[in-house]
Every structure is written in structure tokens, then in C-alpha cells.
Amino acid sequence: GRARVLSEPGVQYPAYLFGGPKADLQLKIPAGVYTVEWLNPITGKQSQSQLTHREGLLTLSSPHYSPDVALAIRRVKPPTGN
């Protein structure tokens, strides 16, 4: 499959994944608390979670999808102490 990723560094990271059925993404993003939302553009089905990330590489595994899936990663807040 393929992926298109945009970014507003430190704020949000939307992506669109083509071709399914599953993908592992690695993104270098700053530390903080993020919401992760997967969206099936055909059915409208969404799944959302929240994660705390330490500085460095973030690895995400997509849900199974066909043919495409959209992803939105949004920073909720910076790490405590910053």
C-alpha cells in the first residue's frame, strides 16, 4: 500500500493510506499526549484512542482496511513540565 502524510509539526499529523489491508507507520513526533483516530472513508466507522508518547519514533499499526483508511493524530497537550 501507499500513504500520504501531511504535518503541522507538534500539532497534528493527518494521513491517508491506500490499498490495505494493514499498515505499520513510523512517525518522528515530539513528546506529548495525542489522540489517534482511524476513519473508514466508505462506511464512516471511526475508532479513537489516546496515547502518551515520549520523544522519538512513534510506531502505529492500522486496523485492517480495504481499500483505504484515513488517520488523524492530534496533540492534546505537551508533556508535563513543558
Side-chain angles (χ1 to χ4, degrees):
R2 299 172 298 148
R4 299 278 180 176
V5 180
L6 302 173
S7 72
E8 184 180 355
V11 179
Q12 63 182 343
Y13 304 85
Y16 197 86
L17 289 70
F18 303 87
K22 190 151 175 59
D24 292 322
L25 299 173
Q26 292 186 325
L27 301 166
K28 187 172 182 178
I29 64 175
V33 177
Y34 292 85
T35 58
V36 177
E37 182 178 356
W38 296 96
L39 171 67
N40 181 315
I42 295 171
T43 66
K45 182 179 177 184
Q46 299 177 342
S47 65
Q48 186 172 332
S49 61
Q50 192 172 82
L51 64 86
T52 300
H53 175 66
R54 292 182 167 72
E55 193 75 30
L57 205 57
L58 171 67
T59 301
L60 291 175
S61 294
S62 75
H64 286 277
Y65 62 94
S66 178
D68 303 336
V69 70
L71 168 66
I73 303 169
R74 293 182 186 91
R75 192 176 196 185
V76 177
K77 61 182 177 178
T80 304
N82 285 353

